[in-house]
């Protein structure tokens, strides 16, 4: 870690944040969410609060419900939008060729239909990579971005895997497309017990792994088309690299990274740490903060810390440049 990187010290808080179960088991209630039609498909979103807009983007296999411990705090100061990407959550799951570019188009259209003013894009994992894509390629839509444990791509690139693992991943992806076989495999990996085991691997704060969380991840996998979505994503291109996107960004970035993430280890954030010291552009400063004892999903593992860090950064964020 570079000398300019920050690591949050729990002693600066009254006590180590404890994860709390939502007081509302069915969060959010159906009445609190909306459906927006995109290219003939229903996309679920939630909007709450007033003020400058924030748009929350979940990661792979998750949904807007993954932000249930963040929306109330952020909505006290901002108008918060959270969306289920097509193929996830309670959005429709049509048989399409899924890709980061498909979701990028969805998000830009959502902004034009629902938001219509420069927003801060806040994402985790694949959602963080999407937020970086929008900020890099669609500047007028953005004031900046908050990126949590940015994924390196939608899938691993062949050169990132050794030969045996590359063969294994390709075989699994092909099997997921086979009639009958694909559904059997999907039914095994979507079991609640398997979801809990996966969370135990990637959450640094095990106290955050609750029955509520497991259920929020499990229920969308029961929807018609969920297995076909998974099969499509496993064969999708990885998408743009962070190193290709970062030089295109002309807005401030706040990067938060769980130090104990085994999927996207903190070493993957070195490019942002370097940009904190030497930003690509003066109008695009980067703030990088490491969060100890935290894994792949800091917003859900340590919501009190993440909410405070985001709100502090937002309070210092300059207004977007006026279009000429």
């Amino acid at each position: 870690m570079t000398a300019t990187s920050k690591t949050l010290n729990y002693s600066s808080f009254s006590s180590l944040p404890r994860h709390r179960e939502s007081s509302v088991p069915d969060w959010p209630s159906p009445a609190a969410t909306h459906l927006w039609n995109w290219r003939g498909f229903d996309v679920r979103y939630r909007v709450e609060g007033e003020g400058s807009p924030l748009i929350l983007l979940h990661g792979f296999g998750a949904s807007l419900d993954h932000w249930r411990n963040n929306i109330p705090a952020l909505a006290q100061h901002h108008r918060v939008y959270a969306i289920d990407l097509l193929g996830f959550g309670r959005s429709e799951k049509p048989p399409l060729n899924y890709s980061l570019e498909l979701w990028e188009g969805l998000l830009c259209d959502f902004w034009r239909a629902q938001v219509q003013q420069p927003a801060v894009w806040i994402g985790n994992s694949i959602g963080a990579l999407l937020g970086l894509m929008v900020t890099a390629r669609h500047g007028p839509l953005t004031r900046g971005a908050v990126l949590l444990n940015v994924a390196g791509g939608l899938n691993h690139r062949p050169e990132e895997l050794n030969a045996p693992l590359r063969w294994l991943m390709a075989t699994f992806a092909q099997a997921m497309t086979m009639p009958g076989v694909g559904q059997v495999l999907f039914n095994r990996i979507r079991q609640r017990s398997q979801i809990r085991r996966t969370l135990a691997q990637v959450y640094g704060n095990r106290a955050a792994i609750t029955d509520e969380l497991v259920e929020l991840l499990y229920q969308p996998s029961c929807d018609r088309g969920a297995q076909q979505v998974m099969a499509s994503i496993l064969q999708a291109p990885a998408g743009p690299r962070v190193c290709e996107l970062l030089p295109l960004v002309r807005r401030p970035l706040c990067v938060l990274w769980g130090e104990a993430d085994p999927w996207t280890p903190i070493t993957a954030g070195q490019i942002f740490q370097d940009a904190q010291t030497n930003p690509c552009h003066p109008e695009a400063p980067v703030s990088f903060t490491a969060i100890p004892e935290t894994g792949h999903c800091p917003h859900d593992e340590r919501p009190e810390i993440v909410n405070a860090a985001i709100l502090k950064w937002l309070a210092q964020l300059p207004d977007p440049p006026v279009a000429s």
Side-chain angles (χ1 to χ4, degrees), residues 10 16 149 198-209 258-262 291-298 300-302:
Y10 289 141
L16 184 67
N149 293 54
T198 301
L199 290 169
Q201 294 173 8
V202 300
Y203 267 47
N205 179 14
R206 301 291 178 83
I209 304 173
E259 285 187 342
D261 185 352
I291 306 177
E293 301 176 39
T294 304
H296 189 62
C297 304
D300 193 47
E301 299 179 50
R302 310 284 184 194

Side-chain angles (χ1 to χ4, degrees), residues 66-300:
H66 208 197
W67 299 100
R68 67 202 181 285
N69 295 311
N70 313 103
I71 290 176
L74 298 177
Q76 290 181 27
H77 307 276
H78 298 272
R79 188 161 181 81
V80 179
Y81 298 84
I83 187 171
D84 282 346
L85 296 173
L86 192 70
F88 291 117
R90 296 178 189 171
S91 287
E92 203 164 340
K93 299 170 178 62
L96 300 174
N97 292 324
Y98 286 86
S99 68
L100 290 170
E101 287 72 21
L102 176 79
W103 292 319
E104 178 187 13
L106 180 152
L107 293 172
C108 291
D109 288 345
F110 177 80
W111 181 90
R112 296 184 186 98
Q114 305 294 336
V115 186
Q116 300 174 358
Q117 59 177 305
V120 173
W121 300 75
I122 302 176
N124 171 233
S125 187
I126 292 299
L129 183 56
L130 282 167
L132 183 62
M133 289 170 63
V134 173
T135 305
R137 296 172 171 177
H138 309 277
L141 280 60
T142 73
R143 289 185 66 205
V146 179
L147 312 175
L148 293 88
N149 293 54
V150 187
L154 185 55
N155 285 306
H156 287 292
R157 297 174 178 85
E159 65 271 18
E160 296 171 346
L161 304 173
N162 59 40
L165 188 55
R166 188 162 59 243
W167 176 84
L168 181 63
M169 293 297 292
T171 301
F172 178 74
Q174 184 61 38
M176 281 291 293
T177 68
M178 299 172 61
V181 175
Q183 190 63 55
V184 170
L185 289 174
F186 185 68
N187 287 343
R188 289 182 64 85
I189 63 176
R190 75 180 184 89
Q191 292 176 0
R192 292 180 178 90
S193 58
Q194 182 58 49
I195 292 172
R196 188 176 291 274
R197 283 193 291 269
T198 301
L199 290 169
Q201 294 173 8
V202 300
Y203 267 47
N205 179 14
R206 301 291 178 83
I209 304 173
T210 63
D211 291 343
E212 176 195 50
L213 174 61
V214 172
E215 201 64 24
L216 290 175
L217 297 172
Y218 170 76
Q219 285 298 332
S221 72
C222 302
D223 290 351
R224 183 177 62 182
Q227 182 262 322
Q228 289 86 349
V229 171
M230 171 73 82
S232 174
I233 290 173
L234 288 175
Q235 296 190 315
R241 300 174 185 268
V242 170
C243 63
E244 298 167 350
L245 297 169
L246 193 55
L248 304 178
V249 172
R250 298 294 196 277
R251 300 288 188 271
L253 298 178
C254 173
V255 182
L256 305 175
W257 213 288
E259 285 187 342
D261 185 352
W263 282 359
T264 53
I266 196 166
T267 53
Q270 185 64 50
I271 187 171
F272 296 106
Q273 298 177 57
D274 294 342
Q276 180 173 243
T277 306
N278 298 299
C280 298
H281 306 282
E283 67 272 30
V286 176
S287 169
F288 186 95
T289 303
I291 306 177
E293 301 176 39
T294 304
H296 189 62
C297 304
H299 64 292
D300 193 47

Side-chain angles (χ1 to χ4, degrees), residues 28-55:
S29 68
T33 59
H34 311 272
L35 291 179
W36 168 64
N37 191 272
W38 184 69
R39 301 183 184 178
F41 305 115
D42 285 337
V43 173
R44 182 180 70 139
Y45 71 97
R46 178 182 177 90
V47 58
E48 186 173 325
E50 297 296 336
S52 58
L54 314 177
I55 302 175

